Amino acid sequence: MQIKLKKVTDSFDKQEFLNFPALLNKDNPQYIRPLNQDIEKVFDPEKNKFFKSGVCERFLVIDRKHYNVIGRFAVFINKRYKQERPTGGIGFVDFIDDYNVSEFIFEVAKNWLSSKGMEAMDGPINFGEREQWWGLLVEGFHEPLYGMNYNLPYYKDHFEQYGFQVYFNQLCFGRKISTQVSDRIKNSHERHCNNPAISIKEIKTNNLKKYASDFLEVYNKAWAAHGEGKQMNESQAQRLFKSMKQVIDPKIAFIAYEDQKPIGIWINLPDLNQWFKHFNSNLNFWNKIKFLIAKKNNKNTRIVGLVFGVIPEWQKKGLDGYMILEGALRMLKKTKYLDYELQWIGDFNPKMIRIAKELETEVTRKLITYRYNFDRSIPFERHKEL
């Protein structure tokens, strides 16, 4: 097969880039096509802040003989993605089941990144934050959560045949809302629920500015200290909460307080894919109307857990258990949601995995972030445990 590389430059190329995964999955009933707008904003310097400190290009892989698309990918350098050695990224990788094609993609990506001073590449990852388009799906090929990568099973063999190694596993855990929690969580809830200084408040949309600031205070103490450029500033937090305004359900998003001081966060959202799967990748005017109607009628039965954290001073004191059971009781009483699934947790974070297991969850899907060292003589090291 003769292969041609084509940089995505015009509107036709962009549409080919967007359409290709859907063509690969045209007979797959589990596939949910992402919204075009969500993919395109990753590659828009006006909408993606990471262009200020990084560079990104995307490509199509063409069969010269038939001039049809047989692969796509993006390569990028994100200076905020801090690693021990300079590491670039490859993402939005899709290809037919032909190792000649995938090898071509990986070689182009390696050479592109190497020419810009990189010594390794991680993938498939996002030119952005980890909460979207991160990791290769290897288990749980059912309907993906909103913003989650979905690929066909053969991708794993192609990545590993080329030489990619597991940098970390990404585990998703799920449960029924009505499932009982562990005795430890019950005891923690009982210990704190009678303390008048401790409370848990729902995030109301009419006061998002305050809750965004409270979220930021907890986030930067409890989560961003893990490193790799995860610190968030006030403007970023405000934009995040503004972007969630139309989809947030106050009955499933919480901040814990000691008196007026924020000490814990548990942010959940309805799984938007349960609505967007009917929109054929386009959130146009009429689909926005449909979305608002569906949201109002509460036809979504799945919750997705996005962020959970407790500030260091309150860790190992049972606050996590108090928040979990208090929130779960409110969900049962006030909502019609049936299923709960956590966004992925890295296997480098045993503390969060322990909390997930105490929720009586089961692993619902597994993704992998791979790493490829350009110098094959360098000993491979997995992500350090937190």
Side-chain angles (χ1 to χ4, degrees):
M1 179 187 297
Q2 292 185 324
I3 299 174
K4 176 183 176 181
L5 183 70
K6 190 176 191 304
K7 184 178 176 180
V8 173
T9 57
D10 56 30
S11 58
F12 180 80
D13 295 338
K14 291 177 182 179
Q15 198 60 50
E16 292 280 276
F17 189 89
L18 295 169
N19 290 342
F20 181 64
L23 293 174
L24 286 179
N25 288 277
K26 59 184 175 62
D27 298 320
N28 183 357
Q30 299 301 317
Y31 177 72
I32 297 177
R33 180 169 175 169
L35 295 178
N36 291 340
Q37 297 95 316
D38 286 342
I39 302 298
E40 281 302 296
K41 70 182 180 182
V42 174
F43 303 103
D44 187 344
E46 297 297 321
K47 297 180 180 179
N48 188 347
K49 63 187 179 184
F50 290 94
F51 276 99
K52 294 179 181 179
S53 58
V55 59
C56 174
E57 292 183 352
R58 53 177 164 161
F59 299 91
L60 298 170
V61 181
I62 309 293
D63 179 345
R64 283 182 180 272
K65 182 177 180 180
H66 301 98
Y67 210 79
N68 61 303
V69 178
I70 53 177
R72 71 163 197 176
F73 66 103
V75 282
F76 37 86
I77 296 170
N78 175 6
K79 293 181 180 179
R80 294 179 61 185
Y81 187 55
K82 302 182 185 299
Q83 304 293 316
E84 290 186 2
R85 62 174 49 88
T87 302
I90 179 172
F92 302 91
V93 188
D94 292 282
F95 44 80
I96 62 172
D97 191 5
D98 185 325
Y99 184 68
N100 291 320
V101 177
S102 60
E103 183 183 38
F104 176 84
I105 288 172
F106 299 143
E107 282 290 302
V108 171
K110 179 181 72 173
N111 293 334
W112 189 93
L113 292 167
S114 181
S115 70
K116 292 174 171 53
M118 298 295 102
E119 298 176 11
M121 62 178 166
D122 286 355
I125 65 173
N126 184 25
F127 185 50
E129 302 289 1
R130 283 182 173 179
E131 64 263 19
Q132 288 194 327
W133 320 123
W134 203 284
L136 188 81
L137 183 65
V138 296
E139 295 178 16
F141 292 90
H142 38 270
E143 289 187 346
L145 302 178
Y146 174 71
M148 179 171 283
N149 278 339
Y150 187 94
N151 52 265
L152 292 163
Y154 62 79
Y155 285 37
K156 179 178 184 290
D157 291 338
H158 288 247
F159 270 82
E160 294 181 359
Q161 183 175 343
Y162 184 74
F164 280 92
Q165 294 171 275
V166 177
Y167 185 44
F168 58 84
N169 292 304
Q170 305 165 226
L171 304 175
C172 297
F173 296 85
R175 68 192 294 271
K176 293 291 184 181
I177 299 292
S178 58
T179 301
Q180 292 292 310
V181 296
S182 69
D183 289 339
R184 186 195 74 84
I185 287 179
K186 292 177 182 178
N187 293 335
S188 296
H189 180 265
E190 184 177 356
R191 183 161 72 250
H192 291 296
C193 67
N194 294 319
N195 183 348
I198 304 301
S199 63
I200 182 172
K201 296 182 180 179
E202 299 173 359
I203 296 178
K204 304 292 187 181
T205 56
N206 61 357
N207 200 8
L208 284 183
K209 186 174 182 179
K210 167 189 162 39
Y211 290 120
S213 295
D214 291 348
F215 165 86
L216 178 66
E217 184 174 341
V218 177
Y219 179 86
N220 277 345
K221 290 181 179 179
W223 183 253
H226 293 165
E228 297 188 355
K230 294 296 292 182
Q231 286 287 331
M232 186 180 292
N233 59 41
E234 181 71 28
S235 63
Q236 290 171 331
Q238 294 294 339
R239 285 198 302 270
L240 172 64
F241 271 60
K242 184 178 180 180
S243 70
M244 293 194 302
K245 184 173 183 178
Q246 293 300 320
V247 298
I248 198 167
D249 182 342
K251 297 182 289 297
I252 61 173
F254 312 104
I255 298 181
Y257 294 87
E258 180 186 19
D259 295 322
Q260 300 301 313
K261 177 185 177 183
I263 57 176
I265 51 176
W266 188 19
I267 311 298
N268 307 291
L269 291 176
D271 177 22
L272 301 183
N273 263 3
Q274 298 306 299
W275 292 312
F276 291 164
K277 66 182 179 181
H278 304 296
F279 295 171
N280 193 29
S281 78
N282 188 5
L283 194 59
N284 56 26
F285 174 79
W286 292 113
N287 283 338
K288 287 180 180 179
I289 299 297
K290 291 179 183 178
F291 167 72
L292 293 174
I293 293 172
K295 180 174 177 285
K296 183 177 180 179
N297 292 335
N298 196 28
K299 293 181 179 179
N300 196 328
T301 61
R302 181 191 288 168
I303 296 172
V304 180
L306 298 183
V307 181
F308 185 96
V310 175
I311 65 173
E313 304 95 287
W314 273 93
Q315 292 174 7
K316 299 181 180 179
K317 294 183 179 180
L319 182 68
D320 56 343
Y322 165 75
M323 291 170 59
I324 288 168
L325 185 51
E326 185 67 23
L329 291 172
R330 296 188 188 194
M331 292 177 194
L332 277 171
K333 182 178 180 180
K334 296 184 177 182
T335 78
K336 296 181 181 180
Y337 298 108
L338 302 176
D339 298 296
Y340 182 81
E341 187 166 357
L342 293 163
Q343 272 281 15
W344 63 266
I345 302 172
D347 62 2
F348 53 81
N349 193 347
K351 183 187 299 183
M352 282 304 302
I353 288 177
R354 175 181 59 81
I355 291 174
K357 290 181 177 179
E358 286 182 346
L359 278 167
E360 302 299 327
T361 58
E362 297 180 352
V363 175
T364 53
R365 62 189 99 218
K366 175 182 172 183
L367 299 95
I368 295 176
T369 294
Y370 286 104
R371 173 160 291 180
Y372 183 91
N373 290 329
F374 299 158
D375 183 346
R376 307 305 289 164
S377 68
I378 296 176
F380 178 79
E381 295 183 5
R382 290 194 55 167
H383 193 295
K384 293 179 180 178
E385 188 172 292
L386 298 178

